[in-house]
Amino acid sequence: MDKTLLLIKPDGVEKRVVGKIISMVEENKFYIKDIKMKKWSREEAEGFYYIHKGKPFFERLINFMTSGPVIGLLLEKENAVNDLRKLVGKTNPKEAEPGTIRALFGTNVTVNTVHASDSEESAAFEINYFFNEQES
Ligand code: ADP
Ligand code: MG
């Protein structure tokens, strides 16, 4: 079965919409294989978002992603990656399709409530990064 990673970002936890997001995920037939809450260090957040290093919004993104805990959900479903991206909506909540998680709960292009893997390759990297971290 296809796997993908959903992260509920710090604003999702702060806004008390974790339950609503999990309900949407389950109503859309995703199966929750694993779940974990974690507060990232800067180093951990930078490693997850390594692909964006050097972009103008990188510092803002890392500051935001380390401002509070995140919740990772390992999700299973046929066509999981594409179906979750559809449920999450566009990066900018103001452009996200009505009814999507970001349209409903997002604040702006940085503070957009959730992350979803964008390909099978990034899903494999991100799931391993989030759930199989080595104890240091
Ligand atoms: P997505 O999360 O939709 O895959 P990206 O991979 O392009 O979007 O960006 C990763 C995250 O970086 C976004 O979810 C958002 O939090 C932040 N971000 C992206 N683009 C911008 C931008 N232009 N300005 C500020 N923050 C941004
Ligand atoms: Mg992305």
Side-chain angles (χ1 to χ4, degrees):
M1 191 63 82
D2 302 326
K3 293 179 175 57
T4 193
L5 181 74
L6 177 71
L7 281 187
I8 303 176
K9 296 184 177 183
D11 67 305
V13 177
E14 184 60 32
K15 289 165 178 158
R16 278 81 163 160
V17 294
V18 171
K20 289 193 176 110
I21 293 168
I22 292 177
S23 290
M24 287 174 73
V25 162
E26 292 192 322
E27 278 158 15
N28 282 272
K29 309 294 178 211
F30 291 89
Y31 176 76
I32 301 172
K33 274 282 271 187
D34 205 351
I35 183 166
K36 182 167 85 177
M37 191 171 204
K38 184 172 171 47
K39 182 143 183 339
W40 265 336
S41 66
R42 290 192 76 80
E43 200 176 32
E44 287 170 327
E46 287 175 6
F48 184 84
Y49 280 115
Y50 76 94
I51 213 114
H52 295 301
K53 201 156 188 182
K55 290 187 186 169
F57 59 83
F58 188 68
E59 276 304 302
R60 215 175 319 148
L61 174 62
I62 300 305
N63 287 341
F64 167 53
M65 291 301 292
T66 55
S67 67
V70 298
I71 296 172
L73 289 98
L74 171 47
L75 299 178
E76 253 188 18
K77 184 183 188 289
E78 263 176 50
N79 207 22
V81 170
N82 287 332
D83 285 2
L84 188 64
R85 291 286 293 192
K86 271 189 221 144
L87 183 62
V88 158
K90 289 199 182 130
T91 308
N92 186 343
K94 288 170 188 79
E95 294 169 4
E97 302 72 9
T100 59
I101 295 172
R102 284 169 167 169
L104 286 167
F105 306 121
T107 299
N108 59 47
V109 71
T110 306
V111 183
N112 58 5
T113 315
V114 283
H115 165 89
S117 308
D118 66 1
S119 67
E120 298 210 1
E121 297 72 48
S122 54
F125 167 78
E126 291 173 0
I127 289 165
N128 184 58
Y129 191 92
F130 195 81
F131 286 103
N132 301 337
E133 59 184 340
Q134 302 300 308
E135 300 297 327
S136 52

